[in-house]
Amino acid sequence: MADESKPFFPVESAHHVKPPPARRPHSITPESRFWRSFRHSELASGLILPVTALEFSPVAPFHLAAACSAAVHLFDGASSPALAPLPHSPLTSFSDIAYSPSFRCDGALLAAGGESGLVQVFRLDKAGPPLRRLSAHARPVRLVRYPRLSDKLHLFSGGDDALFAYWDVPSEAQVVSFPGAHRDYIRAGSASPTSPEVIATGSYDHSVKLWDVRVPASSNSVLGFSHGDPVESVLFLPSGGLLATAGGNVVKIWDVIGGGKLIHTMESHNKTVTALCLGRIGNESAGRAGGEPRLLSVSIDGYMKSFDFAAFKITHTMRYPAQLLSVGFSPSGTARVVGTSNGVIYMGTKKKRQEENGTRAVTEFGEYLPEPEKQVLRPTNFRYFHRGKSEKPRDTDYIIERAPKVKLAEHDKLLKKFRHKEALVVALSKKNPTSIVAVMEELVARKKLIKCVANLDVDELELLLGFLHKYATMPRYARFLMNLSKKVLEMRAEDIQSNSNLRGHIRNLKRMVAEEIQIQHSLQEIQGMISPLLVVAGR
Amino acid sequence: MMTGGQSFVSSPPTFSNDGKKLLVCTGFTVSIFSTSTGMKIVELEGGHTDCVTSVIVLPVAMSSSKLMSYCWTSSLDGTICYWDFDSAELINKVNVQLPIHSMVIPNISATGTDKKASNHYAFVSVEDVNISADENKALRGKIQIFNLTNSHRVGGLLAETRNPELLSVSKNGEFLGITNKRKLHIWKIPAKDFRFDEIKKIKLHHTKNLTSLAFHPNMRMLAGGDVTGRILIWIGFGRRKFARNSQIDNGVKDATDDENPGVRGGDDAASCSTWHWHSSAVKFLFFSSDGAYLYSGGKEGVIVVWQLDTGKKKFKPRLGSPLVYFTESPDPSLSCVSCANNRIHILKMPTMEITNSIAGIKLPFPFTVEHKGYRTRVAYEQTNGLVAVLTEDYCVQFYSLFDNHEVSEVQVCKRNFQPVDDVMLYVALVAISDDGSLMGTIDVKLPEESLGELISLKFWMRGSRMAEYSLSTIIYEPHSDAGVSCLAFRPGHGMAVTTSFGGEFKAWVHGSHFKATDQLIQRTGWRCQSVGSYKGKPLSAAAFSADGSVLAIAAETVITLWEPDTNILVAVIGDTHSPITELSFIGKSEYLVSLTHGSKPQLAVWRTSKLGLFWSYKLFAEALSSSRDESQFAVLVLINSPYETNVNEDGVILLFDVENPVPVATWMVKKAKGGSLAFLHANPSFHESEATDGEKPTLLVYVNGDHEYIIFDPHSKDNITCKNTQKSHLNLEEAGRFGYASLYGDLSKSNLKQALVPEITFVPSEKPWETIFSGSSHVLPPLTKLCTTFLASLLEKRPNIDD
């Protein structure tokens, strides 16, 4: 049974309002730690116009394409530590605003739409005119996508003319097209990661439709469902069975295999969600395989959220000082970019871990390298004497807790020994008003304060007067300290007269009392003005 | 009828031989507690008719296998009783005729098993009641010797003192001592063949009054404590006088005077040294059983452990109360210390860790100053039959009246308690709401020369368990400078009222009622709802009616009735001669009863419907309680008239029916000053036998000035309805292990005989120690068992000379 003798109570001022128990520091989850480990910088700040799309190349070195104004800017993913513009960028063969850059699966070509309705395909290794021009749209093309799954020949596009087209790029011909696929602008689309023929599009008519490009053009969409708001972004999740759509201030997760059933609605954004992309947490070497996938969403409200679609839970939130329009996450897992409406691209980069070197020995040669033999500790070694000190108890071990050591402030220790004056002086020299008042109140409770004051040296009296000057009129302590000041002045008048320093303190005290009286006068005036009003109001 | 609340610390407790039981003198009886659980096992009752003053347990003789459970007790009624405390049976009774204040039986250990053969001699310290205390230099204390076997007095007086003193005896029974003012009287008692004229005596002198005394267990060493806190240690006392040849040589005494450092004026001791730590009188001194340490304690509430060789000190602080006695058990890992606040701590010895506490009801603490009319009363928690007692160390103790044990303790002020002469901080009031869910306390900090005065009102909420309260709100200076006179809770509402001597009362409400209206400020604490006053008169008492619809507040000599919610004055009743001190509504009736103290004390019953006096008495009533359901109330009246002959019974409880000024019943009680009354509803679990007739009887509890209480049914005709026999429904005989077994576990059941029978037969030789250890080591019984046999075999049987 525990020892029932009383605990030791440190002195406490009665007037000291205890601060509410300190909020436990928001414990950082490993996930938050991961997201915070990115180093922030601005990638490009001179663009002025909105960055409407950000796209990472699917192959190393993971170049970044950013659509802004009438150009697509390219950034070198290989440069370290941060991304840097490629030498031949930007691609500027656009007559009007460029939209929706998309890399081919091998990263060699880039397709982009534009305000003019033209879809252009560029090569990336050197600057030059576009290789192919696909023209069918009459209105701006905001959606151009290469399917990601080893399909080098086709891409699809969707435009403000509600036309959805599937192209054979080499021949610049439409394989299949669905005019009037939606009843409003098509702004979003995504190809299924498991079958490249299945494509989801989202439109401002609130609907999301799934198309199979193998069926004849006359047939309708495979599946359609309503998101409830103009759809800004559509993204297949890696399994191919789930589809995330963003529109309004919600992100919805749909089960497309199960016939378009709504699984989850994420409503943590305050304004329109503008873009979605996939990210991975954890820094397992080369990115692709390791880490749990996360859905990153950005919104006009300036927040980027990381959503765990396995647990349907927001795992991290980040705030940026601008409206966010686009987001990208490097497949290498080392870079995260966010495009804003004022042309700034915010970038978070992470150093590549060099841990491959360690594992390479095993993987390349396929043999086990024996670990360096552990040195046997001898009594000549210093560490010999520290053996087992850091040993952790096992679950089965019976732990005998050492009684927690009571930490006492110095004045408490002195009070325990009944050294009252010293306790008062120590508290005064620490200059913490609550503990000083607490010690004084304790001394009053022991009937020792007057005696202590009488015994103070001149230096210590100076400390006390300094304290009184500072705090005697503080409302919380005033009742007690005013009386004490009076008492001190009565008792130590002779000492004060004989010492100029003390006289200075007394002058300060006097001035402060005068100020306080002034304040009280003005307060009374205010009260005098208010009370008739209150009486009138009371009737 | 049930009694309870006895003091556990009136005299030192005693451990039983196995250290599992503690025999505590509780009033007229001896209660036996289990040291492992701290619960009462059994009570030795029926033997004594006055307070028991000492208990002596017969020690176990070495050869005896079964634990003996016999004890001697002495009492103020002048008898010595012999008990079997396992079965709680009285065996024998010896009449001494004078009140015994202390008793020791020095050679009790030397008597062995057959107690018939030898005589027990009891040394008793009695008070001679024939000599009046008023007489100047009257020697009322006497030390006498009794032969307990044939209950005859032996010899003359050993000593006469002003007051009966506490006897102390050395462990082997060789020495006996008392403190007598500035002297110690030490007697040497012959161990064998006790004869009165062989008792020799020495005196040791000191310059201060001595308060305590202890003998070293095996050396000729003696410690005495004085009123200033000094501890004097005499070494080698009585070398000359108690020498075996008993030849007193006066010439030698003078010669050796210089060689005895510290010994005063030719006292018979080798040396005397002084230790000083205590700041006030040393209340107990105790040598540890191995003789290496000395324990001392006193008012500071700290056990000081002195290492005898070096004088180094170790402390056990914060026991919360002045210490009175220290007792050691036969089990060296167990001892107990009695605190003045009616609590016995059982200590685990080398570490002085408190393993258990036997807590009685806290005693009322004396007030040195008259504190502005605060009447430290106890409060009652009706639902569970608890009484809340204010304690000196800023706590409220909850004590179960029916079960007669402590339930919990609530620390009101977080301050380290130091027993001091002038109390500067105390808990002045406690009030508990009817359902027991709320508690309010007021603690007062007195000013030091008008500096730092503080009154704080605290509201507490009950937790999940019975009598477990947590602090909800602190209100500093609820009535600015003025003292709070009364705190009352409104039945059925989260509302309380405090009245002050400054002339205003405040109604406090619990904040949760206003959560809905005030969305922004979500406070759950208490706040002031309204303030009222009546003509600026100091208010002294407040009471709510049973349904909480009317608030009555006494403003000096009149009673004002208020609407509690709207704070509107409804009516003013009557006029008394002097200020009203207590108010109460009587049950659910329209009547109100008030008490008045002062020069013209009055007990008055008022009728609220007529707004007038119904009937009144001129009585000085100390306490008042009204039953909740019936229209009855009880008052405790102090009899302070000089012509009253019976000094013991200074109070009368009067039970009134409100319609009739003739009391329904009266009872005479003792120690009524500071007492209180309350109606309780019977605890159904306890009154199983009485619950058969269907109705729960209302019981009246009277707590006297010493916090002893009695519970009785005011309507039953017969005097005694039931006894507080909480017959050990819980079997407390745990398989506790001590000594060797606690260290190494139980011994294996190897039989000594079996183990010693080897395969081959052997001829018992003349020297049994040669064969006793023969055999392989793994079949040998443990050394502890072998040792006695071995040692016995070494002893030669003495031939019987007489034959």
Side-chain angles (χ1 to χ4, degrees):
Chain A
M1 193 183 282
D3 198 329
E4 281 182 30
S5 54
K6 299 237 169 159
F8 182 82
F9 299 110
V11 293
E12 250 176 31
S13 165
H15 291 286
H16 169 56
V17 182
K18 252 196 186 163
R23 269 178 64 188
R24 283 181 57 211
H26 200 66
S27 63
I28 293 179
T29 59
E31 169 119 15
S32 298
R33 205 172 300 130
F34 169 75
W35 289 115
R36 284 181 192 186
S37 65
F38 285 90
R39 252 185 32 170
H40 286 270
S41 58
E42 288 184 11
L43 178 58
S45 51
L47 301 177
I48 302 168
L49 290 167
V51 181
T52 53
L54 289 165
E55 179 88 356
F56 273 99
S57 162
V59 295
F62 310 119
H63 294 311
L64 170 70
C68 175
S69 175
V72 171
H73 299 263
L74 289 174
F75 298 94
D76 186 3
S79 69
S80 184
L83 303 176
L86 276 176
H88 54 271
S89 76
L91 308 171
T92 49
S93 312
F94 294 96
S95 57
D96 211 332
I97 302 170
Y99 291 118
S100 186
S102 176
F103 287 98
R104 202 168 74 171
C105 56
D106 58 354
L109 298 181
L110 177 90
E115 187 78 14
S116 57
L118 198 64
V119 178
Q120 304 181 78
V121 181
F122 302 92
R123 58 186 297 165
L124 285 175
D125 45 356
K126 58 178 187 251
L131 295 180
R132 294 287 185 276
R133 291 161 171 275
L134 316 175
S135 57
H137 290 283
R139 302 289 304 271
V141 180
R142 296 268 190 135
L143 167 68
V144 175
R145 280 280 176 279
Y146 270 108
R148 273 288 154 89
L149 203 72
S150 61
D151 182 359
K152 293 185 180 177
L153 303 177
H154 300 97
L155 62 78
F156 62 89
S157 64
D160 285 1
D161 53 358
L163 172 71
F164 171 65
Y166 186 70
W167 300 87
D168 179 44
V169 180
S171 62
E172 297 188 343
Q174 299 176 37
V175 178
V176 63
S177 75
F178 302 94
H182 284 275
R183 277 176 287 129
D184 208 333
Y185 304 160
I186 298 176
R187 286 285 166 93
S190 173
S192 165
T194 45
S195 56
E197 297 86 7
V198 175
I199 294 160
T201 58
S203 151
Y204 274 15
D205 66 354
H206 301 192
S207 68
V208 177
K209 288 185 177 175
L210 252 69
W211 309 92
D212 192 335
V213 292
R214 292 165 294 195
V215 301
S218 54
S219 66
N220 219 335
S221 61
V222 179
L223 188 67
F225 43 84
S226 171
H227 175 81
D229 280 302
V231 181
E232 295 282 354
S233 183
V234 170
L235 187 67
F236 266 105
L237 298 180
S239 64
L242 297 182
L243 183 73
T245 61
N249 46 17
V250 294
V251 175
K252 292 184 175 176
I253 311 286
W254 307 85
D255 180 7
V256 287
I257 296 172
K261 198 171 64 179
L262 179 65
I263 296 176
H264 185 80
T265 307
M266 168 189 132
E267 298 180 68
S268 52
H269 283 290
N270 300 321
K271 289 187 180 172
T272 306
V273 183
T274 49
L276 297 173
C277 98
L278 278 177
R280 283 174 193 285
I281 60 156
N283 28 20
E284 266 91 340
S285 55
R288 290 240 123 174
E292 276 184 63
R294 291 285 184 270
L295 183 69
L296 304 182
S297 62
V298 292
S299 154
I300 301 285
D301 60 6
Y303 281 98
M304 190 196 90
K305 305 223 177 211
S306 154
F307 179 73
D308 180 0
F309 52 83
F312 297 124
K313 211 168 70 179
I314 301 282
T315 51
H316 188 68
T317 298
M318 254 186 285
R319 185 176 154 70
Y320 289 92
Q323 300 175 348
L324 307 183
L325 294 184
S326 52
V327 61
F329 190 82
S330 167
S332 70
T334 58
R336 176 191 70 201
V337 287
V338 172
T340 66
S341 62
N342 54 12
V344 181
I345 301 175
Y346 292 101
M347 172 177 60
T349 50
K350 207 170 151 65
K351 274 209 180 134
K352 255 185 203 148
R353 286 284 200 82
Q354 298 301 320
E355 62 190 24
E356 297 100 308
N357 304 350
T359 54
R360 196 170 295 152
V362 182
T363 50
E364 284 184 8
F365 306 107
E367 62 182 35
Y368 173 70
L369 283 184
E371 282 190 23
E373 200 173 317
K374 222 177 177 182
Q375 210 180 339
V376 177
L377 285 175
R378 295 183 187 288
T380 52
N381 196 327
F382 178 68
R383 279 195 292 137
Y384 177 83
F385 298 101
H386 287 279
R387 288 163 303 161
K389 274 198 171 173
S390 55
E391 201 82 1
K392 293 278 185 311
R394 269 169 300 190
D395 293 344
T396 53
D397 287 348
Y398 180 72
I399 300 166
I400 299 168
E401 301 263 349
R402 181 178 291 181
K405 202 181 169 191
V406 184
K407 278 186 191 157
L408 294 181
E410 195 156 353
H411 55 82
D412 271 327
K413 282 182 200 159
L414 290 168
L415 283 174
K416 242 173 101 173
K417 293 174 184 161
F418 301 93
R419 288 154 72 175
H420 296 132
K421 195 195 88 173
E422 286 161 63
L424 180 61
V425 172
V426 161
L428 281 171
S429 56
K430 289 270 164 59
K431 292 200 163 51
N432 178 6
T434 52
S435 69
I436 296 173
V437 173
V439 169
M440 286 176 172
E441 286 180 352
E442 174 65 23
L443 290 179
V444 166
R446 296 183 185 190
K447 255 191 178 167
K448 292 291 186 296
L449 183 60
I450 300 292
K451 202 171 255 178
C452 281
V453 170
N455 288 344
L456 287 178
D457 290 347
V458 174
D459 300 349
E460 294 156 356
L461 191 61
E462 203 176 330
L463 270 178
L464 177 63
L465 287 176
F467 166 74
L468 289 177
H469 156 229
K470 228 171 173 179
Y471 293 102
T473 54
M474 191 177 247
R476 188 184 288 166
Y477 311 126
R479 256 191 73 153
F480 176 61
L481 291 184
M482 287 293 213
N483 279 336
L484 178 66
S485 321
K486 242 161 67 187
K487 207 99 215 172
V488 170
L489 295 183
E490 274 172 28
M491 289 167 58
R492 305 297 300 261
E494 288 167 21
D495 297 292
I496 291 164
Q497 276 166 6
S498 60
N499 188 312
S500 61
N501 275 351
L502 295 182
R503 280 203 301 275
H505 278 293
I506 296 301
R507 271 194 295 278
N508 288 340
L509 196 63
K510 197 176 163 189
R511 196 173 58 235
M512 196 199 48
V513 170
E515 272 171 30
E516 183 65 25
I517 290 171
Q518 192 70 41
I519 291 170
Q520 295 290 341
H521 275 304
S522 50
L523 283 175
Q524 276 177 343
E525 280 170 24
I526 293 170
Q527 194 185 9
M529 285 187 268
I530 287 176
S531 53
L533 295 177
L534 284 177
V535 170
V536 170
R539 275 179 200 159
Chain B
M1 188 172 72
M2 274 164 67
T3 56
Q6 298 94 345
S7 171
F8 293 169
V9 295
S10 58
S11 40
T14 312
F15 280 98
S16 69
N17 284 319
D18 53 358
K20 285 178 188 167
K21 291 172 185 169
L22 187 68
L23 285 78
V24 182
C25 307
T26 51
F28 298 179
T29 61
V30 175
S31 299
I32 299 171
F33 290 89
S34 158
T35 55
S36 51
T37 59
M39 304 294 278
K40 184 148 87 176
I41 303 169
V42 77
E43 202 168 346
L44 306 181
E45 52 194 351
H48 293 293
T49 54
D50 207 337
C51 287
V52 181
T53 50
S54 58
V55 183
I56 296 161
V57 174
L58 247 65
V60 180
M62 283 304 282
S63 56
S64 161
S65 60
K66 106 180 210 295
L67 288 168
M68 293 206 317
S69 54
Y70 298 103
C71 68
W72 290 95
T73 60
S74 70
S75 161
L76 287 180
D77 62 358
T79 55
I80 299 170
C81 289
Y82 187 55
W83 304 84
D84 178 357
F85 63 79
D86 248 1
S87 52
E89 271 176 41
L90 179 64
I91 297 173
N92 195 5
K93 202 166 181 176
V94 178
N95 203 342
V96 181
Q97 281 151 354
L98 292 174
I100 305 168
H101 283 261
S102 177
M103 173 179 77
V104 291
I105 305 176
N107 47 4
I108 191 166
S109 52
T111 55
T113 42
D114 49 346
K115 58 184 190 299
K116 289 283 172 278
S118 68
N119 293 327
H120 284 304
Y121 290 96
F123 288 70
V124 291
S125 166
V126 297
E127 182 181 4
D128 197 341
V129 288
N130 301 324
I131 302 170
S132 156
D134 306 329
E135 205 173 307
N136 195 25
K137 294 200 173 173
L139 297 174
R140 288 168 63 84
K142 294 203 165 99
I143 294 172
Q144 301 177 339
I145 309 167
F146 269 83
N147 184 337
L148 292 174
T149 316
N150 54 19
S151 43
H152 280 305
R153 215 181 126 184
V154 181
L157 288 178
L158 268 187
E160 279 186 316
T161 52
R162 288 290 286 279
N163 292 310
E165 299 286 342
L166 197 68
L167 290 163
S168 28
V169 68
S170 69
K171 201 168 186 184
N172 51 12
E174 198 178 356
F175 301 108
L176 177 77
I178 58 165
T179 61
N180 182 14
K181 287 191 286 187
R182 299 181 181 175
K183 294 187 287 289
L184 292 178
H185 296 258
I186 313 292
W187 292 274
K188 181 181 158 78
I189 295 147
K192 298 251 167 93
D193 309 327
F194 180 83
R195 287 212 327 265
F196 178 72
D197 47 358
E198 279 182 27
I199 298 174
K200 280 171 274 182
K201 173 182 175 184
I202 60 164
K203 283 183 191 174
L204 295 171
H205 294 82
H206 182 46
T207 53
K208 301 281 187 312
N209 280 347
L210 288 155
T211 52
S212 54
L213 167 68
F215 290 96
H216 194 275
N218 38 38
M219 283 159 67
R220 197 168 270 210
M221 190 191 279
L222 166 69
D226 72 6
V227 286
T228 60
R230 289 183 180 80
I231 297 168
L232 293 105
I233 296 185
W234 283 277
I235 298 170
F237 61 91
R239 277 271 155 78
R240 299 190 295 269
K241 187 81 178 280
F242 297 160
R244 271 191 199 285
N245 50 14
S246 73
Q247 284 170 356
I248 304 156
D249 194 345
N250 284 327
V252 180
K253 192 191 274 180
D254 298 332
T256 53
D257 238 5
D258 322 318
E259 296 156 25
N260 301 346
V263 179
R264 195 166 292 280
D267 281 348
D268 191 0
S271 72
C272 176
S273 53
T274 307
W275 287 337
H276 197 179
W277 181 85
H278 293 277
S279 61
S280 57
V282 183
K283 276 283 157 58
F284 69 77
L285 284 168
F286 199 91
F287 283 96
S288 67
S289 55
D290 59 352
Y293 297 96
L294 173 70
Y295 305 106
S296 68
K299 196 182 178 186
E300 302 84 4
V302 179
I303 302 175
V304 185
V305 186
W306 304 84
Q307 197 175 9
L308 280 179
D309 293 341
T310 59
K312 279 183 182 163
K313 298 182 289 285
K314 241 174 57 182
F315 304 100
K316 171 73 186 169
R318 287 196 291 287
L319 291 168
S321 174
L323 306 177
V324 189
Y325 304 112
F326 188 90
T327 314
E328 204 178 40
S329 74
D331 179 2
S333 68
L334 205 64
S335 60
C336 74
V337 61
S338 306
C339 297
N341 64 359
N342 208 0
R343 188 180 266 268
I344 299 173
H345 293 298
I346 294 167
L347 302 171
K348 198 175 144 192
M349 216 33 222
T351 55
M352 312 270 277
E353 192 182 322
I354 297 175
T355 56
N356 226 322
S357 283
I358 298 168
I361 194 163
K362 290 284 171 76
L363 301 176
F365 52 102
F367 269 44
T368 49
V369 201
E370 195 54 52
H371 293 308
K372 277 189 177 179
Y374 286 117
R375 316 183 59 203
T376 38
R377 281 287 171 72
V378 294
Y380 295 91
E381 213 251 64
Q382 304 278 349
T383 47
N384 295 312
L386 305 181
V387 61
V389 184
L390 302 176
T391 70
E392 201 172 3
D393 52 348
Y394 327 121
C395 290
V396 174
Q397 185 198 29
F398 285 88
Y399 196 84
S400 172
L401 289 169
F402 292 113
D403 301 337
N404 196 13
H405 69 80
E406 183 193 71
V407 177
S408 72
E409 214 175 47
V410 177
Q411 181 87 33
V412 175
C413 300
K414 285 194 172 172
R415 182 163 181 265
N416 302 307
F417 174 68
Q418 294 147 358
V420 285
D421 294 328
D422 40 356
V423 178
M424 294 291 285
L425 175 66
Y426 59 95
V427 184
L429 271 180
V430 60
I432 296 170
S433 67
D434 271 4
D435 56 351
S437 62
L438 302 169
M439 176 171 80
T441 59
I442 285 172
D443 52 277
V444 176
K445 205 175 187 183
L446 295 177
E448 183 190 12
E449 300 192 18
S450 75
L451 200 62
E453 183 178 21
L454 185 71
I455 296 169
S456 42
L457 166 65
K458 288 175 183 166
F459 286 106
W460 307 74
M461 312 284 282
R462 187 170 59 187
S464 51
R465 286 209 318 245
M466 180 168 73
E468 180 194 59
Y469 289 88
S470 58
L471 185 60
S472 157
T473 311
I474 307 179
I475 296 148
Y476 294 112
E477 297 175 330
H479 292 280
S480 56
D481 282 344
V484 179
S485 56
C486 180
L487 171 63
F489 282 98
R490 186 177 177 187
H493 296 72
M495 188 190 219
V497 161
T498 55
T499 57
S500 84
F501 299 112
E504 57 174 20
F505 70 88
K506 288 188 178 178
W508 307 90
V509 286
H510 192 240
S512 58
H513 287 267
F514 294 83
K515 245 182 183 173
T517 55
D518 200 352
Q519 288 275 328
L520 291 175
I521 310 161
Q522 283 205 336
R523 287 198 194 134
T524 52
W526 290 74
R527 57 183 194 80
C528 182
Q529 189 195 40
S530 55
V531 184
S533 66
Y534 181 74
K535 292 184 179 173
K537 287 181 179 174
L539 309 174
S540 53
F544 280 101
S545 66
D547 55 353
S549 60
V550 183
L551 167 66
I553 288 177
E556 276 192 332
T557 58
V558 296
I559 300 167
T560 57
L561 300 179
W562 302 76
E563 185 84 40
D565 284 321
T566 51
N567 205 28
I568 294 168
L569 181 64
V570 180
V572 178
I573 307 180
D575 213 353
T576 57
H577 299 299
S578 40
I580 293 168
T581 50
E582 198 158 336
L583 265 185
S584 175
F585 279 90
I586 300 167
K588 293 191 170 71
S589 65
E590 50 166 355
Y591 298 102
L592 193 62
V593 60
S594 73
L595 297 187
T596 308
H597 286 180
S599 56
K600 289 177 179 170
Q602 191 182 21
L603 162 72
V605 176
W606 310 83
R607 194 188 286 186
T608 51
S609 57
K610 299 272 174 64
L611 298 178
L613 187 67
F614 191 38
W615 52 265
S616 77
Y617 273 106
K618 188 184 172 189
L619 284 175
F620 191 91
E622 176 76 9
L624 164 70
S625 175
S626 67
S627 81
R628 210 189 296 179
D629 306 322
E630 296 138 278
S631 58
Q632 286 188 332
F633 66 95
V635 286
L636 174 64
V637 176
L638 289 185
I639 308 166
N640 46 6
S641 49
Y643 49 83
E644 186 66 38
T645 50
N646 197 343
V647 191
N648 274 339
E649 302 192 328
D650 60 347
V652 178
I653 299 173
L654 301 174
L655 180 70
F656 285 103
D657 199 74
V658 71
E659 304 286 352
N660 192 353
V662 178
V664 178
T666 56
W667 297 271
M668 300 289 283
V669 291
K670 291 177 185 173
K671 296 178 197 165
K673 183 89 183 129
S676 73
L677 283 174
F679 279 95
L680 286 183
H681 293 282
N683 190 353
S685 65
F686 173 70
H687 283 266
E688 282 163 326
S689 55
E690 291 182 31
T692 47
D693 55 358
E695 60 175 38
K696 278 204 299 181
T698 305
L699 299 176
L700 189 63
V701 57
Y702 162 62
V703 177
N704 73 10
D706 285 351
H707 285 181
E708 292 161 354
Y709 62 84
I710 184 163
I711 303 173
F712 56 97
D713 186 355
H715 304 298
S716 68
K717 289 288 167 276
D718 50 340
N719 236 341
I720 296 167
T721 54
C722 61
K723 283 295 279 179
N724 178 19
T725 44
Q726 200 190 355
K727 282 287 182 215
S728 52
H729 52 83
L730 49 165
N731 191 12
L732 297 151
E733 283 299 314
E734 284 185 8
R737 301 195 289 191
F738 66 97
Y740 178 86
S742 69
L743 278 176
Y744 300 110
D746 283 326
L747 295 175
S748 58
K749 293 283 181 193
S750 64
N751 197 339
L752 195 65
K753 278 178 191 163
Q754 277 181 356
L756 280 178
V757 173
E759 292 294 305
I760 49 162
T761 56
F762 68 97
V763 184
S765 67
E766 286 294 300
K767 299 168 181 172
W769 60 89
E770 286 179 348
T771 55
I772 207 166
F773 293 114
S774 61
S776 57
S777 62
H778 67 274
V779 298
L780 216 58
L783 279 177
T784 46
K785 294 203 168 178
L786 281 176
C787 189
T788 49
T789 324
F790 175 61
L791 290 175
S793 71
L794 285 178
L795 297 172
E796 282 184 8
K797 198 170 187 180
R798 202 165 71 180
N800 213 337
I801 301 167
D802 294 342
D803 289 352

